[in-house]
Amino acid sequence: MKKSIKLLFVISIAIILAVLWFDRNNSSVIYHDPVEVADENPLKIDVADVHQGELLLVNEEYGIKESAKTDIKNLYKNQELTGDYGLLTTDIALSKEITAYFNEMIEGAKKDGVNNFLISSGYRSFEEQTKLYQEKGRDYALPGGYSEHQLGLALDVGSSEGTMAEAAEGKWIAENAWQYGFVLRYPQAKTDVTGIQYEPWHIRYVGKPHSVIMQDKNFVLEEYLAYLREKEQISATVDGKEYNIRYYAVSKAKKVKIPKGYNYTISGDNVGGVIITLYK
Ligand SMILES: [Zn+2]
């Protein structure tokens, strides 16, 4: 009898731990069929829209047509914009908006007891990226015009406790960045897709619900955009909020229909289309 009670106790603990583990890793995405909407408003899309926004794919194949963010600030000179982390050099710059999202994430890490972050690189101009490429070579940097750092949406995060591959900060980023709209852009398991070596320090802002869906489906940006192109439309409830994500191929100016009563954000994929994210 005693033995069976002990066994029951062990099983109960195992179930509780499994539920807790599942809950922690559950990105709370529910996919469903799009809701039929009768009333729609026309929305004009231009070819320029393909090259603006937070979902732009920038890699060796698809270069930057223009900087995505216009609110780039030097963080060292604007300390009021920064949070509880260090800046490796005095020339670190980043989009003001993205810095605010990053600060939120660092506060989240702090609650988990992880608090030794620093930014080692942020926004880079075309000239800075070109110089870096010439000085450090292809293994370290992409040529000018082909780096996400030029978007103002990407940054390199470091730890004062060691390399990101080993420090608690790197582990925390890999596990939690998606909850704050960021993605680890060059994971170890996806080097064949990204064409870039494992970079545990390089994060990229794509925003929610995209970061949550990418985490849920284990997609890097290349895969996520290909998935949207193929599906053309997905509907999902993320953190209790309903989203309808639509992909439109754009080779010339066109009009699409947006259901009435929805808010939306629009971003190009930098390849040949735009993604419209509808939400209530
Ligand atoms: Zn980087």
Side-chain angles (χ1 to χ4, degrees), residues 186-198 220 222-223:
Y186 308 117
Q188 195 153 31
K190 302 280 182 166
T191 53
D192 56 332
V193 183
T194 62
I196 302 287
Q197 60 160 350
Y198 173 44
V220 286
E222 282 85 354
E223 295 168 311

Side-chain angles (χ1 to χ4, degrees), residues 91 93 123-134 144:
D91 60 356
Y123 168 78
R124 295 175 199 151
S125 67
F126 179 84
E127 292 73 24
E128 285 165 336
Q129 185 66 35
T130 302
K131 195 167 165 245
L132 198 68
Y133 177 70
Q134 285 165 350

Side-chain angles (χ1 to χ4, degrees), residues 19-26 112 172 175-176 178-179:
V19 167
L20 286 175
W21 184 87
F22 181 75
D23 205 40
R24 188 179 161 76
N25 288 277
N26 189 340
D112 287 343
W172 193 93
E175 283 174 4
N176 300 289
W178 60 273
Q179 298 189 57

Side-chain angles (χ1 to χ4, degrees), residues 176-232:
N176 300 289
W178 60 273
Q179 298 189 57
Y180 299 87
F182 289 90
V183 295
L184 195 64
R185 184 68 181 86
Y186 308 117
Q188 195 153 31
K190 302 280 182 166
T191 53
D192 56 332
V193 183
T194 62
I196 302 287
Q197 60 160 350
Y198 173 44
E199 291 195 358
W201 56 83
H202 181 108
I203 58 169
R204 155 76 190 267
Y205 186 80
V206 292
K208 280 183 172 183
H210 309 292
S211 62
V212 180
I213 298 170
M214 287 170 75
Q215 168 74 17
D216 184 64
K217 294 198 172 287
N218 190 27
F219 283 156
V220 286
L221 193 54
E222 282 85 354
E223 295 168 311
Y224 180 53
L225 293 172
Y227 169 75
L228 293 181
R229 257 171 242 137
E230 189 203 314
K231 292 277 179 192
E232 292 183 339

Side-chain angles (χ1 to χ4, degrees), residues 15-248:
I15 290 171
I16 290 166
L17 286 176
V19 167
L20 286 175
W21 184 87
F22 181 75
D23 205 40
R24 188 179 161 76
N25 288 277
N26 189 340
S27 41
S28 70
V29 189
I30 304 159
Y31 301 96
H32 46 80
D33 291 334
V35 183
E36 288 291 332
V37 188
D39 270 357
E40 295 186 314
N41 285 333
L43 174 72
K44 197 168 167 269
I45 300 174
D46 288 314
V47 178
D49 291 324
V50 173
H51 306 291
Q52 292 167 12
E54 287 166 352
L55 290 171
L56 297 183
L57 178 68
V58 171
N59 57 25
E60 234 168 350
E61 205 176 333
Y62 300 102
I64 293 169
K65 296 279 190 289
E66 55 188 289
S67 168
K69 287 288 176 188
T70 51
D71 62 342
I72 305 294
K73 299 277 178 206
N74 175 301
L75 297 186
Y76 186 78
K77 289 180 190 153
N78 296 278
Q79 294 279 340
E80 73 282 1
L81 300 178
T82 66
D84 197 359
Y85 47 84
L87 301 171
L88 191 66
T89 56
T90 57
D91 60 356
I92 304 280
L94 199 62
S95 148
K96 186 180 166 185
E97 186 191 348
I98 303 307
T99 305
Y101 299 142
F102 180 72
N103 296 349
E104 227 173 87
M105 181 168 73
I106 296 305
E107 283 305 306
K110 205 173 175 179
K111 286 186 187 129
D112 287 343
V114 182
N115 196 28
N116 292 297
F117 290 97
L118 53 91
I119 299 180
S120 54
S121 187
Y123 168 78
R124 295 175 199 151
S125 67
F126 179 84
E127 292 73 24
E128 285 165 336
Q129 185 66 35
T130 302
K131 195 167 165 245
L132 198 68
Y133 177 70
Q134 285 165 350
E135 283 173 4
K136 304 244 178 156
R138 172 66 185 80
D139 281 349
Y140 183 81
L142 287 157
Y146 294 88
S147 168
E148 286 195 331
H149 283 276
Q150 291 174 246
L151 292 174
L153 294 168
L155 65 154
D156 295 339
V157 185
S159 164
S160 57
E161 302 299 292
T163 67
M164 284 297 269
E166 287 162 353
E169 284 69 24
K171 195 163 177 276
W172 193 93
I173 287 283
E175 283 174 4
N176 300 289
W178 60 273
Q179 298 189 57
Y180 299 87
F182 289 90
V183 295
L184 195 64
R185 184 68 181 86
Y186 308 117
Q188 195 153 31
K190 302 280 182 166
T191 53
D192 56 332
V193 183
T194 62
I196 302 287
Q197 60 160 350
Y198 173 44
E199 291 195 358
W201 56 83
H202 181 108
I203 58 169
R204 155 76 190 267
Y205 186 80
V206 292
K208 280 183 172 183
H210 309 292
S211 62
V212 180
I213 298 170
M214 287 170 75
Q215 168 74 17
D216 184 64
K217 294 198 172 287
N218 190 27
F219 283 156
V220 286
L221 193 54
E222 282 85 354
E223 295 168 311
Y224 180 53
L225 293 172
Y227 169 75
L228 293 181
R229 257 171 242 137
E230 189 203 314
K231 292 277 179 192
E232 292 183 339
Q233 178 170 179
I234 62 165
S235 282
T237 305
V238 172
D239 297 340
K241 205 167 161 183
E242 213 185 288
Y243 293 93
N244 179 233
I245 304 166
R246 300 173 174 194
Y247 172 83
Y248 298 94

